[in-house]
Amino acid sequence: MLKQRPSLRIVFSILCAAPLVRAQAAVAEPPPLVTDGDPDRSIPPCSGCHQPNGGGSEEGAAARLAAIGEQYIANQIENFRNGNRNHPVMTPWAKELTGAEVKTLAAYYEALPPASNAVVPPRLKREDGQWLALYGDWPNRRLPACQQCHGPLGIGARDHFPALAGQPYSYLVNQMASWGTGARIGDHDGMMRAVAEKLSMAEAQRVAAFYASLPAQGAMEVATEIGSGERVPSAADLRPPGQGADSQPPQDAGPKKTGEQPMPHRGTPIGHQGPTPAGRDLVKGASYFEPPSRTERPEDDFGEMVAMGESIFSNTYSHEVSGKYVGNTQVCEGCHLDAGRLADSSPMWAARINYPAYRKKNDKVDTLVERVQGCFKYSMNVQASEVGTVPSAESRTIRALLSYMHWLATGAPVGDKDIPGRGYPKLEKTADGFEPERGAEVYAAHCAICHGENGEGGYAGAEMVFPPLWGEHSYNWGAGMHRINTAAAFIKANMPLGSYIELTEQQAWDLAAFMNSHERPQDPRFTGDLAETTEQFHGSEYDYYGKRKGTDGKLLGEGAMTPASRPAEAGGN
Amino acid sequence: MLKQRPSLRIVFSILCAAPLVRAQAAVAEPPPLVTDGDPDRSIPPCSGCHQPNGGGSEEGAAARLAAIGEQYIANQIENFRNGNRNHPVMTPWAKELTGAEVKTLAAYYEALPPASNAVVPPRLKREDGQWLALYGDWPNRRLPACQQCHGPLGIGARDHFPALAGQPYSYLVNQMASWGTGARIGDHDGMMRAVAEKLSMAEAQRVAAFYASLPAQGAMEVATEIGSGERVPSAADLRPPGQGADSQPPQDAGPKKTGEQPMPHRGTPIGHQGPTPAGRDLVKGASYFEPPSRTERPEDDFGEMVAMGESIFSNTYSHEVSGKYVGNTQVCEGCHLDAGRLADSSPMWAARINYPAYRKKNDKVDTLVERVQGCFKYSMNVQASEVGTVPSAESRTIRALLSYMHWLATGAPVGDKDIPGRGYPKLEKTADGFEPERGAEVYAAHCAICHGENGEGGYAGAEMVFPPLWGEHSYNWGAGMHRINTAAAFIKANMPLGSYIELTEQQAWDLAAFMNSHERPQDPRFTGDLAETTEQFHGSEYDYYGKRKGTDGKLLGEGAMTPASRPAEAGGN
């Protein structure tokens, strides 16, 4: 997985991207509040705690502000003002500031070059927290990976997900404790609360050590330090949750602990893999197949292909091996969560054991190779890619993905069509059907924060963090997800990711309808005639293609994006 | 499976083939012994029992002789003379005949048009015996299929394996009883004894009904009656051993039977799948995975592909879908017995769950598609085929084979490298090494009867029944079987097929060395230079390529067969 997705090309594009460039162009004189505060209003200088370089401090557990987004900083000052956050220094100070002052300060810090003053306690190592940061703990706790929102290696994504890389260790630990105990609130849909309250105190420390040990500038560069050649951490470097440094009694901490100390809980966890989550309309009482742990990946040639496959799976569009076959900014993991491991999210172990299989879509028996090629054709919109044709059966892309899927299915019984967790749990129609107009409201409330107000997705620099849901960078009109019933099933089972919110079935239907009432890349089976294509391929009642008007007033499919024509090369690699 | 392998093209070539054509050209006057016998020597007329058309009779349990090979008939008369066979009429009669008379009679009957006077008891149906005739009962009894020696649909193969199609039911039952009880002997290596003594009386009747119900002329035509479009019997038509007509008490037979009456045994059965055969140096005490029964094949689109895959597996070179990719007369089943089901014979269920995998041969991780393509490249010598390049991943050939392998592995755990019965059981080196000269003697004694004195294989008309072992129709110098250790392991575990003979390890090594000391089609990786090719690909001590001289006095590989150069077409289908 490792959301750092990057080929080197992308690493460099990030290193040279917005914050740094802006900073170099505009290292401004600090405003007086930063250097001197305002004694008249009892405001201390910001740099007293946050330091002149804006890198924060361990002593005061003060955040790194340098190169943090202006909007995010302004929001936090507001949170101190309205009581969502509480701090003996910050709370009174924030209440004194004028709007103009907030804007000036926030802009100043955003423009600062990334800097860090973080110091990690010697007993902790970066690897100790790597697992939770990169993978979370879906199978047991529906705990998302930090980087699923905060971007690859915590470089930050969108306004609401600040950089974690290079934040002071003490600040990160404090914040996780505050979210988990309810001392800090105001997170959208309880996202941080849902995460933090599932963490043990020890886990919070490990995750903090991971991010604090990363440089504020150039965090992406350490991808190569952390990962193997293909940028998936070696199995030997991985410490699964509960097996980090603190499995030994900490040397520099208080009384000895026996085992993990859970954070105080506030509310009921949403559910977990293993026995089916209660309250979800999934397969009742089922025990899910468990793919092998990442630490069990073999350290041999096959294991290398598995690692490459996992990296491709999570970084499909930007991976140096597979990127040339992807015509949008999608990754396999976008529809198959937890890198294809998660039950009820069309997991790869269930696919692996059920192909070859007959598919109505193609009216023939497809092999697994052909099934995966189908994903490139539709979900990855290969038509707009560099190569323009799907990777061949002999390509490294296909071999790596099949190796990864094979390994994930280790021990699964071949041909078990009824294996619990296969595909998405089917969603029954509701009495009220589905309406994009209703879905638009749900979307604005719960989805736009990550996927963008216009479904454009969310990026960290050049890196996609939240998949685009419509438009030119989304899946095309031939992908399974364009069918409203499929999308509704996916949404109900999996979204919002790791949040406290649980959508109703009606909301899932409406969201799916809303998402798929927008224009997207053309169906590669397009015959040249919309009515004909609609009749041949889009007859389903769950399909708006050719039947409903999009926001441009034209029938959906009429304004579908088409790639410039490209030379069709063989996809060998 | 259905050894009738034929595409229609081949059916017709057989229908028009040797015996019929010869017969039409030469319907001779019957010799006086046939019509009148010789009262002076108390010899009754042959046609009294065998009937004027040579089709035999049910009343006398007299064999069909029409179009049976001259050599086989002459051998049987000799058997009556020397006591290997005993019959109240035939034994004294045979002792009266001169050598010239035998030759005349045998030649006359071989030249007769195929004819049958067989009548099957009404309580029995052809389908009742189909299973044993087509598949035998490998998993439980190492019982080979009748057609594995007697040719597709019992049309006969080589001198020693007479036609069964159209033989009188009573004659067939009697002969199986005679083999099984030891009343008839003289079979090579106890082959028929080994078969017949494993049959129950009821099974013998069912098998007899199957063959007796086939026409003596045009047996191959009923392939389409029996089989589905792809000439594998539909699952619904299959009656597994023990589930034929006689599971009901017979209506026209003697006292009611409760269950199967075993044939009297003479000696110890060789072994069986299930618990490992005692006395064989296989995986000790292992229980083998059981692929699904043929009767469980689903009756849907996927099942159709599975059926096609099985048909291709057993008829590779002649199948209308796969034949164009095969440059010799080999079938997958030649190295993977019982249509890829048999443990210790590199079964397909074990391959299915263990790919993708790293292969030293290609120094990369290969998918199952690539592994199967490798079989076409080497074992099927695709270079000399109609197409000249391996079937593509999207071809029907590959999709059908993968579907079949997938289905065979139903329920097997993915990635179980140690599944018992995988591959061939490794054979330890013996103190005496391996010597082709010693192997030649073993070959002549035990192998030539089926595979031919010159390794040319055995055919029934145009249909291969026993695979060629060297020469232009065999596997090429890149195939795994050219390695002496691989071949020795295969031979020890599986050959002679279903016979009473068990080869020693030393014999297996020597046989493998003998087999692979002959010239065969060129390694497709041939660089143009024998020494270079040898160094790059044939360094093993178990490999004679480029190191030992063949029968032509040249180094092996130097005189290797190469196909005329062909246009390289894409292998889509």
Side-chain angles (χ1 to χ4, degrees):
Chain A
M1 185 150 149
L2 241 193
K3 281 280 187 195
Q4 71 271 36
R5 304 220 167 84
S7 61
L8 275 183
R9 166 174 61 84
I10 300 225
V11 170
F12 286 118
S13 75
I14 288 178
L15 291 176
C16 305
L20 183 53
V21 173
R22 260 184 282 158
Q24 287 172 331
V27 177
E29 279 298 302
L33 278 172
V34 169
T35 49
D36 308 313
D38 183 352
D40 291 347
R41 291 183 286 169
S42 303
I43 298 178
C46 305
S47 61
C49 291
H50 295 284
Q51 300 297 303
N53 67 354
S57 68
E58 293 291 355
E59 296 71 23
R64 161 198 153 194
L65 299 180
I68 300 295
E70 175 185 334
Q71 186 58 52
Y72 184 79
I73 294 175
N75 286 349
Q76 299 319 305
I77 294 173
E78 176 57 27
N79 279 330
F80 284 113
R81 292 164 75 113
N82 66 20
N84 282 347
R85 299 182 71 165
N86 287 287
H87 188 273
V89 176
M90 287 299 295
T91 299
W93 174 93
K95 289 181 175 162
E96 294 291 331
L97 288 181
T98 65
E101 284 171 328
V102 170
K103 193 169 168 51
T104 301
L105 286 172
Y108 168 74
Y109 278 113
E110 174 173 343
L112 275 188
S116 172
N117 304 319
V119 180
V120 176
R123 72 181 169 90
L124 292 172
K125 292 191 176 55
R126 181 187 287 156
E127 308 88 270
D128 298 335
Q130 183 168 287
W131 184 294
L132 286 171
L134 303 187
Y135 308 124
D137 188 9
W138 272 112
N140 298 303
R141 292 179 280 177
R142 293 240 164 187
L143 184 62
C146 306
Q147 68 170 4
Q148 283 185 280
C149 290
H150 290 278
L153 297 187
I155 64 174
R158 295 185 62 88
D159 287 344
H160 293 274
F161 306 99
L164 304 178
Q167 285 288 358
Y169 169 83
S170 56
Y171 174 73
L172 290 171
V173 170
N174 274 8
Q175 293 312 305
M176 280 185 276
S178 298
W179 288 120
T181 58
R184 179 174 173 182
I185 57 172
D187 49 335
H188 188 92
D189 281 350
M191 291 169 90
M192 272 309 298
R193 182 180 71 174
V195 167
E197 74 175 21
K198 292 173 188 164
L199 294 174
S200 71
M201 294 291 187
E203 284 174 335
Q205 292 174 50
R206 290 205 292 272
V207 168
F210 177 80
Y211 285 112
S213 73
L214 294 172
Q217 175 170 341
M220 296 291 283
E221 282 178 331
V222 305
T224 47
E225 281 177 43
I226 294 177
S228 69
E230 287 299 333
R231 292 199 191 79
V232 164
S234 77
D237 279 349
L238 282 173
R239 319 262 171 105
Q243 293 178 33
D246 58 327
S247 60
Q248 311 258 332
Q251 300 304 308
D252 57 348
K256 286 190 181 186
K257 285 182 281 181
T258 55
E260 305 266 307
Q261 304 290 320
M263 289 249 190
H265 275 102
R266 190 179 70 170
T268 309
I270 277 188
H272 54 290
Q273 204 163 342
T276 312
R280 294 212 160 204
D281 191 17
L282 311 183
V283 184
K284 296 291 187 216
S287 251
Y288 291 125
F289 170 78
E290 282 189 29
S293 165
R294 291 175 168 94
T295 56
E296 297 173 64
R297 198 177 63 227
E299 300 278 347
D300 58 13
D301 295 273
F302 175 68
E304 268 181 34
M305 283 304 276
V306 171
M308 188 197 287
E310 179 169 356
S311 186
I312 288 174
F313 199 88
S314 295
N315 306 292
T316 326
Y317 81 95
S318 62
H319 196 285
E320 55 190 340
V321 170
S322 60
K324 60 178 175 287
Y325 303 111
V326 183
N328 51 27
T329 55
Q330 301 289 322
V331 296
C332 306
E333 195 177 25
C335 295
H336 311 279
L337 302 187
D338 199 21
R341 294 171 164 270
L342 188 64
D344 294 323
S345 179
S346 216
M348 291 303 100
W349 38 267
R352 166 68 179 86
I353 62 172
N354 279 302
Y355 276 89
Y358 175 80
R359 294 191 79 209
K360 210 187 285 183
K361 184 171 189 171
N362 300 330
D363 193 24
K364 69 178 181 69
V365 172
D366 283 341
T367 61
L368 189 57
V369 169
E370 293 173 301
R371 181 65 191 84
V372 174
Q373 287 172 331
C375 288
F376 279 90
K377 184 171 178 184
Y378 300 113
S379 298
M380 301 304 176
N381 196 35
V382 71
Q383 289 66 226
S385 73
E386 187 184 326
V387 172
T389 53
V390 299
S392 74
E394 297 76 24
S395 66
R396 276 197 296 162
T397 295
I398 293 291
R399 288 189 294 119
L401 285 170
L402 259 69
S403 296
Y404 178 56
M405 293 168 74
H406 175 65
W407 177 71
L408 282 183
T410 301
V414 171
D416 184 355
K417 293 189 177 68
D418 302 319
I419 192 166
R422 182 185 185 195
Y424 306 125
K426 195 171 181 301
L427 211 58
E428 294 303 320
K429 277 175 79 166
T430 57
D432 286 343
F434 44 86
E435 284 293 348
E437 294 72 15
R438 291 194 302 251
E441 291 176 30
V442 188
Y443 185 86
H446 301 296
C447 315
I449 186 174
C450 292
H451 293 285
E453 284 173 30
N454 298 305
E456 72 274 23
Y459 293 79
E463 288 293 295
M464 187 277 284
V465 178
F466 307 105
L469 302 183
W470 60 85
E472 63 174 333
H473 297 303
S474 187
Y475 54 86
N476 70 38
W477 278 113
M481 200 57 85
H482 96 274
R483 289 194 306 268
I484 293 162
N485 51 342
T486 303
F490 169 82
I491 290 168
K492 174 64 182 151
N494 297 297
M495 291 287 130
L497 197 70
S499 152
Y500 245 83
I501 293 293
E502 182 170 349
L503 299 170
T504 64
E505 297 192 359
Q506 186 59 54
Q507 285 176 317
W509 276 108
D510 292 338
L511 273 174
F514 174 67
M515 177 168 84
N516 287 321
S517 68
H518 293 88
E519 198 53 280
R520 55 183 63 258
Q522 185 56 277
D523 189 336
R525 300 165 298 183
F526 184 60
T527 65
D529 181 277
L530 187 68
E532 186 183 68
T533 307
T534 302
E535 192 188 328
Q536 282 186 28
F537 304 112
H538 298 274
S540 159
E541 62 177 311
Y542 302 109
D543 190 337
Y544 283 152
Y545 182 94
K547 300 173 212 158
R548 186 188 160 94
K549 284 183 181 168
T551 49
D552 58 1
K554 291 191 279 191
L555 284 175
L556 289 167
E558 205 174 340
M561 300 85 190
T562 52
S565 62
R566 293 168 179 281
E569 298 171 31
N573 180 351
Chain B
M1 181 153 151
L2 240 195
K3 281 281 185 193
Q4 71 272 35
R5 302 218 170 86
S7 61
L8 274 184
R9 162 176 63 82
I10 301 224
V11 170
F12 285 119
S13 74
I14 288 180
L15 291 176
C16 307
L20 182 54
V21 173
R22 259 184 285 158
Q24 287 172 329
V27 175
E29 280 299 300
L33 280 170
V34 169
T35 50
D36 306 315
D38 183 351
D40 291 346
R41 290 182 286 168
S42 303
I43 300 178
C46 306
S47 60
C49 290
H50 295 285
Q51 300 297 302
N53 67 354
S57 68
E58 293 291 355
E59 296 71 24
R64 162 199 153 193
L65 299 180
I68 300 296
E70 174 183 336
Q71 186 59 52
Y72 183 79
I73 294 176
N75 287 348
Q76 299 319 304
I77 294 175
E78 176 56 28
N79 279 330
F80 284 114
R81 292 164 73 113
N82 65 20
N84 282 348
R85 298 183 73 166
N86 288 285
H87 188 271
V89 175
M90 288 298 297
T91 299
W93 175 94
K95 288 181 176 162
E96 294 293 330
L97 288 181
T98 66
E101 285 172 328
V102 170
K103 192 168 169 53
T104 301
L105 286 171
Y108 168 73
Y109 278 114
E110 174 173 344
L112 275 188
S116 172
N117 304 318
V119 179
V120 177
R123 70 182 170 89
L124 292 171
K125 291 192 177 55
R126 180 188 285 156
E127 307 88 88
D128 298 336
Q130 182 169 286
W131 185 294
L132 286 171
L134 304 187
Y135 307 125
D137 188 9
W138 271 112
N140 297 304
R141 292 178 280 177
R142 292 240 164 188
L143 183 62
C146 307
Q147 68 170 3
Q148 283 184 281
C149 291
H150 290 278
L153 297 188
I155 63 171
R158 295 185 63 85
D159 287 344
H160 292 275
F161 306 100
L164 303 178
Q167 286 288 358
Y169 168 83
S170 56
Y171 174 75
L172 291 170
V173 170
N174 273 9
Q175 293 312 306
M176 281 185 275
S178 297
W179 288 120
T181 59
R184 178 175 176 182
I185 59 173
D187 49 333
H188 188 94
D189 283 351
M191 292 168 88
M192 272 308 298
R193 183 179 69 178
V195 167
E197 72 175 22
K198 292 173 188 165
L199 294 175
S200 71
M201 294 291 186
E203 285 175 332
Q205 292 173 50
R206 290 204 292 271
V207 168
F210 176 79
Y211 284 112
S213 74
L214 294 171
Q217 175 172 339
M220 296 292 282
E221 282 179 330
V222 305
T224 46
E225 281 177 43
I226 294 177
S228 68
E230 288 297 334
R231 292 199 190 77
V232 164
S234 77
D237 279 348
L238 283 172
R239 318 266 170 102
Q243 293 179 34
D246 58 329
S247 60
Q248 311 258 332
Q251 300 305 306
D252 57 349
K256 287 192 180 186
K257 284 182 282 185
T258 55
E260 306 266 309
Q261 304 290 320
M263 289 249 189
H265 273 102
R266 190 178 72 172
T268 310
I270 278 187
H272 54 289
Q273 204 165 340
T276 312
R280 295 212 160 205
D281 190 17
L282 311 183
V283 184
K284 298 287 186 214
S287 252
Y288 293 125
F289 170 78
E290 283 188 30
S293 165
R294 290 174 168 95
T295 56
E296 298 173 66
R297 199 176 63 226
E299 302 277 346
D300 57 13
D301 296 274
F302 175 67
E304 267 182 35
M305 284 304 275
V306 170
M308 187 196 288
E310 179 170 358
S311 185
I312 288 174
F313 198 86
S314 296
N315 306 292
T316 326
Y317 80 95
S318 63
H319 195 285
E320 55 191 340
V321 170
S322 59
K324 59 178 176 286
Y325 303 112
V326 183
N328 50 27
T329 55
Q330 302 289 322
V331 296
C332 306
E333 193 178 25
C335 295
H336 311 279
L337 302 187
D338 199 21
R341 293 170 165 271
L342 188 64
D344 294 323
S345 180
S346 216
M348 291 303 99
W349 36 267
R352 166 68 179 86
I353 62 173
N354 278 301
Y355 276 88
Y358 174 80
R359 294 191 80 209
K360 211 187 282 182
K361 184 171 189 170
N362 300 331
D363 193 26
K364 70 179 181 67
V365 172
D366 284 341
T367 60
L368 189 57
V369 169
E370 293 174 302
R371 180 65 191 83
V372 174
Q373 287 173 330
C375 288
F376 279 89
K377 185 171 179 184
Y378 300 113
S379 298
M380 301 303 175
N381 196 36
V382 72
Q383 290 66 228
S385 72
E386 187 184 326
V387 172
T389 53
V390 299
S392 74
E394 296 77 23
S395 65
R396 276 198 295 163
T397 295
I398 293 292
R399 288 189 293 118
L401 284 171
L402 259 70
S403 297
Y404 178 55
M405 294 169 72
H406 175 66
W407 177 71
L408 282 184
T410 302
V414 171
D416 183 355
K417 293 189 178 66
D418 302 320
I419 192 167
R422 184 185 182 193
Y424 306 126
K426 194 172 181 302
L427 211 57
E428 293 304 320
K429 276 174 81 167
T430 58
D432 286 343
F434 45 86
E435 286 292 347
E437 293 74 14
R438 291 194 303 252
E441 291 176 31
V442 188
Y443 185 85
H446 300 297
C447 315
I449 186 175
C450 293
H451 293 284
E453 286 174 26
N454 297 305
E456 73 273 22
Y459 293 79
E463 287 293 294
M464 187 276 285
V465 177
F466 306 105
L469 302 182
W470 60 86
E472 64 174 331
H473 297 304
S474 186
Y475 53 87
N476 71 35
W477 279 113
M481 200 56 85
H482 96 275
R483 289 193 306 268
I484 294 163
N485 51 343
T486 302
F490 169 80
I491 291 168
K492 175 64 182 150
N494 297 299
M495 290 289 130
L497 195 72
S499 153
Y500 245 82
I501 294 293
E502 184 168 349
L503 299 170
T504 65
E505 296 193 359
Q506 187 59 55
Q507 286 176 318
W509 276 108
D510 292 338
L511 273 174
F514 174 67
M515 176 168 85
N516 286 322
S517 67
H518 293 87
E519 198 54 279
R520 57 183 61 260
Q522 185 55 277
D523 189 337
R525 299 164 300 183
F526 184 59
T527 65
D529 181 278
L530 187 69
E532 187 183 69
T533 307
T534 303
E535 193 188 326
Q536 282 187 29
F537 304 112
H538 297 275
S540 159
E541 61 176 312
Y542 301 109
D543 190 337
Y544 284 152
Y545 182 94
K547 298 173 213 159
R548 185 188 160 93
K549 285 182 180 167
T551 49
D552 58 0
K554 292 191 278 193
L555 283 175
L556 290 167
E558 206 174 337
M561 299 85 190
T562 52
S565 62
R566 294 167 177 281
E569 298 171 30
N573 181 353

